[in-house]
Amino acid sequence: DTAVSQTPKYLVTQMGNDKSIKCEQNLGHDTMYWYKQDSKKFLKIMFSYNNKELIINETVPNRFSPKSPDKAHLNLHINSLELGDSAVYFCASSDETWDLTIYFGEGSWLTVV
Amino acid sequence: AQTVTQSQPEMSVQEAETVTLSCTYDTSESDYYLFWYKQPPSRQMILVIRQEAYKQQNATENRFSVNFQKAAKSFSLKISDSQLGDAAMYFCAQACPQTGANNLFFGTGTRLTVIP
């Protein structure tokens, strides 16, 4: 029973397309995140939502838009995909009332061709 | 701003031996948490161990332990009795509590190879 699940795991798409990655957590956490891991394996936060409210919004192109319909879901929509968007995108969640441990999903490997 | 530095891009260890991965960090905060995450070839980020900065005792999880030197801002990971399944990228990370969310700062990772 996966705690943080994201779909799809693999996505190959052409430049200029629009795509979405979905994420769901069943841990009852209030906070969810999107992290990006580039080709050099460097991980960096993109967005964070707490109870559907945007908390962290790092400097990312506005082609990236997160959406949180409820506190258990955080989706990432990407418009007009570019070659440089190719990366692994990780969804994660944490419980602010307990500890700071962030639990990650399995990642979604996006390849833009 | 917080920074996390892992100065060893690659390390190797013989199976059953002990290896130590280094990590240093820089923060002006007094309240923070430190983590080691493991990323095997499957790419999933798996929490290995966690240390709260206010705790003086070093965290231990089975074969994994840390050497937390707060004054030196050092947080190394020791893996004892290394197993083939320990081969992975290891990321050191730091988080400071913020209202509503936490920003986890990662190092650049150390690739650990376990030699049979």
Side-chain angles (χ1 to χ4, degrees):
Chain A
D1 194 16
T2 306
V4 182
S5 59
Q6 47 185 114
T7 56
K9 286 191 69 174
Y10 301 95
L11 182 57
V12 180
T13 188
Q14 289 187 324
M15 281 176 54
N17 284 351
D18 302 339
K19 290 294 177 186
S20 293
I21 306 172
K22 295 185 176 182
C23 179
E24 176 182 5
Q25 55 95 4
N26 62 6
L27 296 167
H29 290 166
D30 290 326
T31 304
M32 296 185 72
Y33 309 80
W34 278 109
Y35 280 82
K36 178 181 179 180
Q37 187 174 38
D38 61 24
S39 58
K40 295 183 179 178
K41 302 285 189 182
F42 187 64
L43 274 150
K44 190 175 180 186
I45 193 168
M46 299 175 68
F47 303 102
S48 172
Y49 271 75
N50 179 268
N51 218 358
K52 302 193 295 177
E53 180 184 351
L54 181 65
I55 301 296
I56 296 174
N57 185 359
E58 291 296 301
T59 307
V60 299
N62 56 16
R63 298 181 294 104
F64 290 78
S65 55
K67 283 189 172 51
S68 181
D70 56 61
K71 73 174 192 177
H73 295 84
L74 180 62
N75 304 321
L76 182 66
H77 188 76
I78 315 170
N79 289 327
S80 303
L81 278 157
E82 300 177 356
L83 293 177
D85 296 333
S86 296
V88 182
Y89 293 86
F90 285 95
C91 179
S93 73
S94 67
D95 183 350
E96 306 312 311
T97 59
W98 183 242
D99 62 33
L100 302 193
T101 303
I102 296 179
Y103 298 88
F104 287 84
E106 294 180 331
S108 295
W109 195 341
L110 172 66
T111 302
V112 183
V113 297
Chain B
Q2 287 86 2
T3 58
V4 178
T5 302
Q6 294 179 249
S7 58
Q8 306 154 315
E10 295 184 355
M11 291 282 285
S12 62
V13 61
Q14 290 283 146
E15 194 175 1
E17 296 295 310
T18 296
V19 65
T20 299
L21 308 184
S22 301
C23 173
T24 58
Y25 60 93
D26 189 17
T27 181
S28 57
E29 303 291 333
S30 58
D31 185 16
Y32 55 89
Y33 286 63
L34 297 163
F35 306 85
W36 278 98
Y37 282 88
K38 168 185 176 182
Q39 187 177 40
S42 67
R43 296 197 321 279
Q44 183 162 11
M45 294 292 289
I46 301 167
L47 177 68
V48 175
I49 200 164
R50 181 187 76 210
Q51 174 83 42
E52 293 90 335
Y54 63 85
K55 289 187 177 179
Q56 291 188 333
Q57 187 171 8
N58 289 325
T60 299
E61 287 286 343
N62 300 315
R63 297 181 295 107
F64 299 87
S65 61
V66 298
N67 183 2
F68 174 45
Q69 301 289 328
K70 191 171 183 178
K73 295 184 179 176
S74 169
F75 183 61
S76 60
L77 175 69
K78 186 171 84 170
I79 306 174
S80 304
D81 186 25
S82 297
Q83 300 176 358
L84 294 178
D86 295 333
M89 282 287 286
Y90 286 82
F91 291 95
C92 179
Q94 183 215 8
C96 297
Q98 301 177 32
T99 303
N102 302 296
N103 195 350
L104 196 59
F105 292 90
F106 284 91
T108 50
T110 297
R111 181 176 300 281
L112 178 66
T113 301
V114 180
I115 303 166

